[in-house]
Amino acid sequence: MALACIPALVADRANLPGVLVTVSFVFGTVGAFDTVERLATSLPAGLAATRRIRELAGGKPTVVDPLKPASAKPASAKPASAEHASAEGAESCPRIELRDVHFSYPGRDAGALRGVSLQLPAGSSIALVGSTGSGKSTIGRLVQRHYDVDRGEVLIDGHPVAALGSDAVAARVAVADQQGFVVDGTVADNLRVADATASDEQLSWACEMAEFELPLDTPCLLYTSDAADDSL
C-alpha cells in the first residue's frame, strides 16, 4: 500500500515534506504508546499493592509490647572467631519452653496448635517432624512472637515472650526459613539486617559457621537465578 503511494507523492512534491514529517512522527510515538500500554497493565497491580500497604499500616498489630518489658539475662556476646564458638555456643542459646499452648490464626476457626508442650534446653537440638499444616512453622512463629498464643505460655529463659517484648525476643531468637528473603544489596547488607552493628569479622565468622563461601561484598541479587538458589 505504501509503495503504491510513492508515484503519487513524487508527482505532488509540494506535499512530500509534510508526509515525511507525519510518518516520522508516527514512528517516533510508537515507543511512547508502548510505555502507556505497559503502564495501563501495571497500574492496577500497583494500586492493589498500595491499598494492601495502607491496610497493613492502618491495621491492628498482632502483638502489643509491654510498657515495661521484663528484664532477662542479655544475649551472650558474639564469638570473635569460629574457635570460640564451641565453648560459647551453649551460653549464646536461650532456653525455650512451650506450656500447654493453644493457638488459632486470626480469621480461622480451626486451631493450629492444641495443648502443645515442649522444652528445649539451652544448646540442645530437636527435630519437629510432621505433615504440612501440622504446626511446625507455627511453633517457630510463636517463639519469634509473630503472634501471641490464645492459651498457655511461650517462655524464653523462663520469661514469657509477651512480657519480654519484641526487641528482646528478636535479640535471642533467629529462624532460618525454608524460603529466605534477600534484600537488594551485598551479603554483608543482608547479614546486618539481624545486627546492624556487626563487624566484618563477626560476619565472616557467621559465614564460616554456616559454610557460606560467598565474599561479604558479593551483590546478592546476582545469585537469585535458579542456578544459584543453592548458594543462597
Side-chain angles (χ1 to χ4, degrees):
M1 184 69 178
L3 293 177
C5 296
I6 290 178
L9 290 175
V10 173
D12 191 3
R13 295 181 179 179
N15 295 328
L16 184 58
V19 172
L20 293 177
V21 170
T22 302
V23 172
S24 300
F25 174 77
V26 171
F27 283 106
T29 55
V30 169
F33 283 116
D34 289 341
T35 302
V36 172
E37 182 180 1
R38 289 194 298 270
L39 178 62
T41 304
S42 60
L43 185 59
L47 292 176
T50 301
R51 285 194 296 269
R52 180 57 179 158
I53 292 174
R54 289 179 176 177
E55 290 175 0
L56 292 174
K60 182 180 178 180
T62 56
V63 297
V64 178
D65 280 346
L67 296 178
K68 294 182 178 180
S71 60
K73 67 176 183 178
S76 300
K78 294 176 286 297
S81 64
E83 287 74 12
H84 298 94
S86 58
E88 300 181 7
E91 297 181 2
S92 63
C93 296
R95 184 178 76 256
I96 297 174
E97 182 179 358
L98 278 69
R99 294 180 181 172
D100 191 27
V101 169
H102 295 252
F103 174 73
S104 299
Y105 284 99
R108 300 183 187 178
D109 296 331
L113 297 176
R114 298 186 185 91
V116 175
S117 295
L118 172 68
Q119 290 187 359
L120 184 59
S124 61
S125 300
I126 189 172
L128 299 178
V129 181
S131 59
T132 300
S134 59
K136 304 184 298 296
S137 299
T138 300
I139 290 176
R141 295 187 182 106
L142 293 178
V143 173
Q144 295 176 88
R145 208 193 169 216
H146 290 181
Y147 301 92
D148 283 332
V149 299
D150 300 331
R151 201 170 80 204
E153 284 185 312
V154 178
L155 301 101
I156 296 178
D157 290 330
H159 299 272
V161 292
L164 287 174
S166 299
D167 289 343
V169 172
R172 289 164 175 78
V173 178
V175 174
D177 290 324
Q178 184 175 358
Q179 295 180 344
F181 177 79
V182 180
V183 301
D184 185 4
T186 63
V187 170
D189 294 333
N190 278 268
L191 295 178
R192 287 195 172 99
V193 170
D195 186 353
T197 63
S199 65
D200 286 348
E201 184 181 4
Q202 291 169 332
L203 297 183
S204 297
W205 169 83
C207 291
E208 181 181 352
M209 294 300 297
E211 298 184 1
F212 186 79
E213 299 178 353
L214 291 180
L216 294 178
D217 58 353
T218 302
C220 286
L221 292 188
L222 294 179
Y223 291 86
T224 54
S225 64
D226 294 338
D229 283 344
D230 293 338
S231 297
L232 292 177

